[in-house]
Amino acid sequence: MAVIRRIKKPTTRKGKKFLLNREPKVIENSKQSLFFKGRKGNEILTSCLRDLYHLKKPDALMLGGKHDILPFESTTQIEAFSKKYDSSLFFFGTHTKKRPNNIVLGRLYDNQILDMVELGIDQYKGLNSFDTEKITTGLKPCLIFTGPNFEQNPELNRIQNLLIDLFQRENANSVRLQGLEHAIMFTASDNKIFMRSYRILLKKSGFRTPRIELSEIGPSVDFSIRRVKLASEDFFKSACFKPKELK
């Protein structure tokens, strides 16, 4: 006996707008990031995750509670969250005896895991540890990558691409010098990634071009790379496909 599934259509204007917003577009919406924690955590992990959340606001959503998830063993729950909250990026924090102070960064394509990297927090200095003026919420950062490993190591090159996806906002066609207020720098050395965050200050120089000063505002994190799961070349290529209208 055949079972006919009825498709329930939205009856309200808000419901129609919600579904329309989720449909494929030539120019996609700004990517939203999900932040959530595993079964166990500690003060360092919670604080670091919260600082990264503040850097991502308003394009970020923090989920409450504890989640029994092992991303490198099963991605089902993360993919379900991606579909439910229409989010293609995630930051997942967990703390175990085997992998203490652990953060998994990842992205999805078509609600399927594309790339994931597991980072251990070796050294951490939070936003509250820097007695400096902070940047405005939602400000587009200037991303800086230093170290030859980002170019020479194919795995680190993909991690660099993932970090750009995680921390960039909308694409900018032009740049105004006075609008450059925030810089996030990533340095690759051996199996480490060092993250630093700076406020860009424009000072008088006596010339037309201002003198630039950097004031560290945090967070400052030394990460060690633990596990990496990257998409196949074919899947990654399909995720990077550009519509004819944008070429």
Side-chain angles (χ1 to χ4, degrees), residues 69-202:
I69 300 174
L70 299 173
F72 283 84
E73 294 181 18
S74 174
T75 59
T76 305
Q77 188 63 56
I78 296 175
E79 290 168 350
F81 282 156
S82 169
K83 190 173 182 179
K84 181 178 180 180
Y85 298 105
D86 193 22
S87 301
S88 58
L89 306 169
F90 69 89
F91 295 72
F92 174 70
T94 181
H95 177 75
T96 63
K97 188 176 181 180
K98 187 177 179 181
R99 292 185 175 88
N101 301 325
N102 205 47
I103 288 186
V104 179
L105 310 178
R107 58 184 167 184
L108 301 96
Y109 170 68
D110 196 22
N111 300 129
Q112 297 178 61
I113 290 291
L114 186 68
D115 294 321
M116 286 193 303
V117 57
E118 186 180 69
L119 303 174
I121 302 171
D122 295 334
Q123 296 289 335
Y124 163 73
K125 195 174 179 183
L127 280 167
N128 295 332
S129 301
F130 295 87
D131 188 19
T132 55
E133 186 181 354
K134 306 302 186 234
I135 51 101
T136 307
T137 300
L139 196 68
K140 183 177 174 66
C142 172
L143 302 180
I144 304 167
F145 293 87
T146 64
N149 288 352
F150 277 126
E151 298 297 328
Q152 297 171 0
N153 186 319
E155 191 174 85
L156 269 169
N157 186 256
R158 182 73 73 84
I159 292 174
Q160 177 187 358
N161 186 269
L162 170 61
L163 290 171
I164 291 172
D165 236 6
L166 287 165
F167 288 96
Q168 75 169 356
R169 296 189 186 274
E170 70 284 349
N171 292 326
N173 296 321
S174 58
V175 178
R176 185 172 61 92
L177 187 61
Q178 286 78 11
L180 287 175
E181 297 181 42
H182 184 209
I184 302 176
M185 185 171 74
F186 298 95
T187 304
S189 178
D190 298 326
N191 201 46
K192 305 275 188 180
I193 295 178
F194 304 96
M195 177 184 175
R196 301 292 184 267
S197 177
Y198 301 95
R199 183 180 180 88
I200 302 173
L201 305 173
L202 305 180

Side-chain angles (χ1 to χ4, degrees), residues 207-238:
F207 300 95
R208 188 174 181 180
T209 305
R211 178 170 56 86
I212 307 296
E213 287 187 6
L214 296 179
S215 173
E216 191 170 1
I217 60 173
S220 170
V221 195
D222 295 354
F223 290 113
S224 58
I225 301 172
R226 288 178 175 165
R227 288 185 289 180
V228 179
K229 183 179 181 181
L230 303 178
S232 65
E233 289 298 324
D234 290 342
F235 189 31
F236 186 72
K237 189 176 180 181
S238 64

Side-chain angles (χ1 to χ4, degrees), residues 8 31 44 59 143 154 156 180 209 246-247:
K8 191 175 181 180
K31 296 179 180 180
I44 292 176
D59 301 320
L143 302 180
L156 269 169
L180 287 175
T209 305
L246 295 179
K247 291 183 180 178

